[in-house]
């Protein structure tokens, strides 16, 4: 039986390990932290179970959703039947953006109500958005030239105004690419808008977890891995990786694990450090992928202040806001809101007190009941390296699963999947890396069994 070691227990590592189990390998997963899930986990704060950051998925996240089903928790991330969300403005009436309910309307006509009903835009701007959407749909995300362009420059060249960018294009780009439009790769924007919104009718329907991420990516993943016979090593940071004959030696401070194949599924900075003595092509270039932060501002009120489960916001420092009351287990009568701030460089270093002065009034301007409510808890979570910086020119820096070294493959949402740095990109990369090893290295010594 071949031995596969997976380094890193985020979604990419979990997906790789399960793939190895399905191929009949003896799998060891080695994770530095005390829990699985990586960037998508949870922690306790008093009565609350707090996610490291609010996550949402889309119906088009097919690999990640299959992974959830494999973990037995598909029901924990229900996807809405029809894309729809409110856009709030502190001084204007909310606008509901919903795709068409007419079942026979083909894509992208299903988005007509979203664009034509967007009252925060002037009628002429809505028509222009339609033309831009059609032009975007005609672009190929695999065209390498697109990655050299910024999405913002392309939108402005099309005549999109600052207002359209703020109230529509930018709102979606922040959520999907953790970047402002001017800092986003056109190729990645095309991937997101085409796959999520323009190519099919239902790809952009939104799924919001109804359970803490730790229950999905740690509890359920740990159970599934153990059930499949994997050896899960937590609090085990891999410090060295060496080729010895035709096998690999994976070192942690406490043990050495030998393997026929290794999937390295850690963030790009850690991967570059781990592999820098090995002849892995372009490994020194990965640092240029950089990082982009996400900050979440968490507020617990002593009473409900809104009925909305989540909303996008324009004309305010709030970008997206989510009701976390039930998922976090907040005490009866309270309401727990999380404000998710993408591309949050300007907030990363700000003190909690400063953010309180910005966000409590901003929330009160959106939800008048918040003005009269008592704030029982206010805290901030900061993820400085939430994603790589999904900027123009990053495509060629993202490596494929194959490293050129037999038995060593790369995974991680930063790797070259063509997808943005998301749960879907992570799941795809993990499966692709394991598949590469199974096909090229592990099949020689393993006795593959059919995936269940
Ligand atoms: C606040 C926030 C909000 C987000 N929102 C969304 C969203 O709404 N939708 C979405 O799709 N995506 C979102 N993302 C992105 C998504 O979480 C990531 O793309 C995905 O989780 C990355 O998974 P990964 O397995 O590639 O990497 P990671 O999750 O970073 O996992 C890597 C693992 O490797 C471990 N590790 C590192 N070095 C070593 C070592 N030497 N030895 C052993 N283990 C090691 C780490 O501890 C970690 O557990 C968000 C991310 C953040 C931070």
């Amino acid at each position: 039986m071949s031995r596969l070691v997976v380094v890193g227990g985020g979604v990419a590592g979990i997906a790789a390990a399960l793939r190895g189990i399905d191929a009949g390998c003896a799998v060891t997963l080695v994770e530095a932290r005390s829990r699985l899930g990586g960037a998508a986990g949870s922690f306790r704060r008093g009565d609350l179970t707090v996610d490291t950051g609010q996550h949402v998925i889309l119906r088009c996240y097919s690999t990640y959703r299959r992974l959830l089903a494999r973990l037995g928790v598909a029901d924990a991330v229900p996807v809405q039947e029809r894309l729809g969300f409110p856009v709030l403005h502190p001084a204007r009436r909310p606008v509901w953006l919903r795709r068409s309910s007419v079942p026979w309307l083909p894509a992208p006509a299903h988005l007509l109500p979203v664009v034509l009903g967007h009252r925060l835009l002037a009628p002429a701007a809505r028509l222009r958005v339609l033309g831009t959407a059609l032009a975007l749909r005609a672009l190929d995300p695999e065209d390498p030239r697109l990655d050299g362009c910024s999405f913002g420059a392309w939108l402005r060249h099309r005549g999109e105004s600052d207002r359209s960018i703020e109230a529509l294009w930018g709102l979606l780009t922040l959520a999907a690419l953790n970047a402002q439009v001017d800092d986003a790769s056109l190729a990645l924007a095309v991937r997101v808008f085409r796959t999520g919104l323009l190519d099919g009718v239902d790809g952009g329907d939104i799924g919001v977890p109804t359970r803490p991420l730790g229950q999905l990516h740690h509890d359920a993943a740990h159970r599934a891995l153990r059930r499949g016979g994997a050896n899960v090593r937590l609090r085990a940071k891999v410090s060295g990786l060496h080729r010895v004959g035709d096998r690999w030696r994976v070192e942690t401070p406490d043990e050495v694990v030998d393997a026929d194949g290794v999937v390295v599924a850690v963030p790009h900075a850690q991967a570059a450090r781990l592999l820098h003595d090995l002849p892995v092509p372009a490994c020194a270039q990965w640092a240029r992928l950089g990082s982009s932060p996400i900050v979440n501002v968490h507020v617990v009120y002593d009473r409900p202040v809104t009925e909305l489960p989540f909303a996008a916001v324009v004309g305010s420092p709030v970008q997206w806001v989510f009701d976390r009351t039930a998922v976090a287990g907040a005490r009866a009568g309270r309401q727990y809101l999380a404000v998710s701030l993408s591309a949050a460089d300007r907030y990363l270093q700000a003190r909690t007190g400063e953010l309180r002065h910005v966000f409590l009034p901003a929330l009160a301007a959106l939800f008048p009941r918040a003005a009269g409510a008592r704030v029982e808890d206010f805290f901030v979570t900061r993820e400085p390296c939430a994603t790589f910086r999904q900027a123009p020119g990053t495509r060629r820096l993202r490596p494929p699963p194959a490293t050129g070294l037999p038995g060593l493959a790369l995974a991680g949402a930063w790797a070259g999947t063509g997808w943005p740095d998301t749960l879907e990109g992570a799941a795809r990369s993990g499966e692709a890396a394991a598949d590469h090893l199974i096909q090229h290295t592990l099949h020689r010594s393993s006795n593959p069994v059919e995936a269940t």
Side-chain angles (χ1 to χ4, degrees), residues 366-393:
L366 298 168
F367 309 123
R369 276 182 278 160
R374 191 159 55 84
V375 173
E376 296 202 335
D377 197 4
F378 182 99
F379 59 100
V380 179
T381 48
R382 299 169 177 85
E383 295 290 334
C385 305
T387 64
F388 75 91
R389 209 167 273 274
Q390 309 191 67

Side-chain angles (χ1 to χ4, degrees), residues 393-425:
T394 43
R395 181 193 167 101
R396 63 193 160 75
L397 301 172
R398 300 175 73 186
T403 58
L405 299 179
L408 182 66
L410 288 168
W414 61 279
T417 57
W419 275 73
D421 190 330
T422 52
L423 297 168
E424 176 68 7

Side-chain angles (χ1 to χ4, degrees), residues 7-13 30-33 35 37-40 52-57 61 175 236-239 265-267 270 274 294 296 383 386-387 412-414 421-424 426:
V7 183
V11 167
V30 191
E31 164 55 46
R33 300 187 214 191
R35 59 161 182 81
T52 45
Q54 175 68 48
H55 280 61
V56 301
I57 69 161
Y61 281 25
K237 182 171 179 174
V238 172
S239 49
V266 303
Q270 284 95 319
L274 212 49
I294 297 181
N296 275 207
E383 295 290 334
T387 64
W414 61 279
D421 190 330
T422 52
L423 297 168
E424 176 68 7

